[in-house]
Amino acid sequence: MTENQAVQQKSVRRNRVAAAAACFAAALITVGVVGTPSATADGAAQGAARPAAVAAPAPGLGSAALVQSEDAVRQGLNPVGATVVLTGRQGLSACSGEETMRDLTEGRATAYASVAWTLDTDGLLTESAASAPTGAEAATWEKQLVALVQDCQDEPAGHWHYGAAHTLTVPGGTARWYPAYSGDGVAGGGVAVLRSGSKVAVVELTGRAAGAPNSVESIATAALKRLSS
């Protein structure tokens, strides 16, 4: 494959993901999957929507281990709806095309959990997590997630891209987070790859016209603490 063909392929992949994200957000609003800023991802608060007929998660991984609405509210965001999936079939990130956590792990995880929060502005806050049979396998999946993210660091001029990696740690977990930049170089959202023991996750804030990178760091830190608890 020539360099031009590779660039075109990645561009088509991102356009497809962007369109899918827009349709997904519209679908959430249409079906009325609505929570409140104080609701947790698994609908513990009164009035929060619960996903219908989901399988029980394996011990140690469920929606409570994922980023919550309150984590976004602390950064000035206003989540208005959420969908929780425990099948591993939510898209990983804006850079990974249609690949899911189940694809990346080849279905070997002992449990999956993902959440997609819609915001009152044009944006999504998503997280997809998996629990590995062993810590060694989790480390392998972490490296694969990092490679997916880094694939969108080196882009032609005028393309959106991820910036340099930053490392953060909490008791029991580590993460790499990356700010996202528009083709004009404006920071807006970002992505983080998380790992705690045998659990791995990717969390991403997309569709924000403006958003300081430290907002992504704060959300990634909150998500890592929940994954590590």
Short mmCIF file of all heavy atoms in Angstrom, two decimals, residues 44-69:
data_model
loop_
_atom_site.label_atom_id
_atom_site.label_comp_id
_atom_site.label_asym_id
_atom_site.label_seq_id
_atom_site.Cartn_x
_atom_site.Cartn_y
_atom_site.Cartn_z
N ALA A 44 -28.16 4.07 39.13
CA ALA A 44 -28.50 3.89 40.53
C ALA A 44 -29.38 5.01 41.04
O ALA A 44 -30.17 4.83 41.96
CB ALA A 44 -27.22 3.81 41.37
N ALA A 45 -29.24 6.22 40.47
CA ALA A 45 -30.02 7.35 40.95
C ALA A 45 -31.44 7.30 40.43
O ALA A 45 -31.71 6.74 39.38
CB ALA A 45 -29.35 8.66 40.53
N GLN A 46 -32.35 7.90 41.16
CA GLN A 46 -33.74 7.91 40.76
C GLN A 46 -33.89 8.63 39.43
O GLN A 46 -33.35 9.70 39.23
CB GLN A 46 -34.59 8.61 41.83
CG GLN A 46 -36.08 8.62 41.51
CD GLN A 46 -36.87 9.30 42.60
OE1 GLN A 46 -36.30 9.77 43.57
NE2 GLN A 46 -38.17 9.35 42.42
N GLY A 47 -34.63 8.05 38.51
CA GLY A 47 -34.90 8.69 37.23
C GLY A 47 -33.90 8.33 36.16
O GLY A 47 -34.08 8.67 35.01
N ALA A 48 -32.77 7.67 36.50
CA ALA A 48 -31.79 7.31 35.49
C ALA A 48 -32.28 6.09 34.72
O ALA A 48 -32.84 5.17 35.28
CB ALA A 48 -30.44 7.01 36.15
N ALA A 49 -32.04 6.11 33.40
CA ALA A 49 -32.49 5.00 32.58
C ALA A 49 -31.61 3.79 32.80
O ALA A 49 -30.41 3.89 32.98
CB ALA A 49 -32.45 5.41 31.10
N ARG A 50 -32.23 2.60 32.79
CA ARG A 50 -31.50 1.35 32.91
C ARG A 50 -31.53 0.61 31.58
O ARG A 50 -32.58 0.54 30.95
CB ARG A 50 -32.13 0.45 33.98
CG ARG A 50 -32.00 0.98 35.40
CD ARG A 50 -32.70 0.03 36.36
NE ARG A 50 -32.61 0.50 37.72
CZ ARG A 50 -31.60 0.19 38.54
NH1 ARG A 50 -30.64 -0.59 38.11
NH2 ARG A 50 -31.57 0.64 39.77
N PRO A 51 -30.40 0.08 31.12
CA PRO A 51 -30.43 -0.71 29.89
C PRO A 51 -31.26 -1.96 30.10
O PRO A 51 -31.27 -2.54 31.20
CB PRO A 51 -28.95 -1.05 29.64
CG PRO A 51 -28.32 -0.94 30.99
CD PRO A 51 -29.07 0.12 31.73
N ALA A 52 -31.97 -2.37 29.08
CA ALA A 52 -32.87 -3.51 29.22
C ALA A 52 -32.13 -4.83 29.06
O ALA A 52 -31.33 -4.99 28.14
CB ALA A 52 -33.98 -3.41 28.18
N ALA A 53 -32.40 -5.76 29.94
CA ALA A 53 -31.98 -7.16 29.82
C ALA A 53 -30.51 -7.32 29.49
O ALA A 53 -30.13 -7.84 28.45
CB ALA A 53 -32.82 -7.86 28.76
N VAL A 54 -29.63 -6.82 30.36
CA VAL A 54 -28.20 -7.01 30.15
C VAL A 54 -27.72 -8.17 31.00
O VAL A 54 -28.26 -8.47 32.06
CB VAL A 54 -27.40 -5.74 30.50
CG1 VAL A 54 -27.76 -4.63 29.56
CG2 VAL A 54 -27.66 -5.31 31.94
N ALA A 55 -26.68 -8.84 30.52
CA ALA A 55 -26.13 -9.97 31.25
C ALA A 55 -25.39 -9.48 32.49
O ALA A 55 -24.82 -8.39 32.50
CB ALA A 55 -25.19 -10.77 30.36
N ALA A 56 -25.38 -10.28 33.52
CA ALA A 56 -24.67 -9.92 34.74
C ALA A 56 -23.18 -9.93 34.49
O ALA A 56 -22.65 -10.87 33.89
CB ALA A 56 -25.02 -10.90 35.85
N PRO A 57 -22.45 -8.87 34.91
CA PRO A 57 -21.01 -8.83 34.69
C PRO A 57 -20.28 -9.77 35.62
O PRO A 57 -20.78 -10.16 36.67
CB PRO A 57 -20.66 -7.37 35.00
CG PRO A 57 -21.69 -6.95 36.01
CD PRO A 57 -22.94 -7.66 35.60
N ALA A 58 -19.07 -10.14 35.21
CA ALA A 58 -18.22 -10.95 36.08
C ALA A 58 -17.78 -10.10 37.26
O ALA A 58 -17.76 -8.87 37.19
CB ALA A 58 -17.01 -11.45 35.31
N PRO A 59 -17.44 -10.71 38.40
CA PRO A 59 -17.00 -9.94 39.56
C PRO A 59 -15.84 -9.03 39.22
O PRO A 59 -14.92 -9.42 38.51
CB PRO A 59 -16.58 -11.04 40.55
CG PRO A 59 -17.38 -12.23 40.14
CD PRO A 59 -17.48 -12.16 38.64
N GLY A 60 -15.88 -7.80 39.72
CA GLY A 60 -14.78 -6.88 39.53
C GLY A 60 -14.89 -5.98 38.32
O GLY A 60 -14.06 -5.09 38.15
N LEU A 61 -15.89 -6.17 37.47
CA LEU A 61 -16.05 -5.30 36.31
C LEU A 61 -17.53 -5.16 35.98
O LEU A 61 -18.22 -6.12 35.68
CB LEU A 61 -15.31 -5.86 35.10
CG LEU A 61 -15.31 -4.97 33.85
CD1 LEU A 61 -14.64 -3.64 34.15
CD2 LEU A 61 -14.61 -5.65 32.69
N GLY A 62 -18.00 -3.93 36.04
CA GLY A 62 -19.39 -3.60 35.71
C GLY A 62 -19.46 -2.12 35.47
O GLY A 62 -18.45 -1.42 35.45
N SER A 63 -20.65 -1.59 35.29
CA SER A 63 -20.79 -0.19 34.96
C SER A 63 -20.28 0.73 36.06
O SER A 63 -19.85 1.85 35.81
CB SER A 63 -22.25 0.13 34.65
OG SER A 63 -23.07 -0.18 35.77
N ALA A 64 -20.28 0.27 37.31
CA ALA A 64 -19.78 1.09 38.41
C ALA A 64 -18.28 1.33 38.31
O ALA A 64 -17.75 2.27 38.91
CB ALA A 64 -20.11 0.44 39.75
N ALA A 65 -17.58 0.49 37.54
CA ALA A 65 -16.14 0.65 37.36
C ALA A 65 -15.80 1.63 36.25
O ALA A 65 -14.62 1.92 36.01
CB ALA A 65 -15.50 -0.70 37.05
N LEU A 66 -16.82 2.16 35.57
CA LEU A 66 -16.62 3.05 34.44
C LEU A 66 -16.76 4.51 34.85
O LEU A 66 -17.26 4.84 35.92
CB LEU A 66 -17.63 2.73 33.34
CG LEU A 66 -17.63 1.30 32.81
CD1 LEU A 66 -18.76 1.11 31.82
CD2 LEU A 66 -16.29 0.95 32.18
N VAL A 67 -16.35 5.40 33.94
CA VAL A 67 -16.49 6.83 34.18
C VAL A 67 -17.96 7.17 34.41
O VAL A 67 -18.85 6.66 33.74
CB VAL A 67 -15.89 7.63 33.00
CG1 VAL A 67 -16.66 7.39 31.70
CG2 VAL A 67 -15.82 9.11 33.32
N GLN A 68 -18.22 8.04 35.39
CA GLN A 68 -19.58 8.39 35.78
C GLN A 68 -19.90 9.83 35.38
O GLN A 68 -19.01 10.63 35.09
CB GLN A 68 -19.75 8.24 37.29
CG GLN A 68 -19.44 6.84 37.81
CD GLN A 68 -20.43 5.80 37.34
OE1 GLN A 68 -21.64 6.06 37.31
NE2 GLN A 68 -19.95 4.62 36.98
N SER A 69 -21.18 10.17 35.40
CA SER A 69 -21.60 11.51 35.01
C SER A 69 -20.96 12.58 35.90
O SER A 69 -20.60 13.66 35.45
CB SER A 69 -23.12 11.63 35.06
OG SER A 69 -23.61 11.36 36.35
#
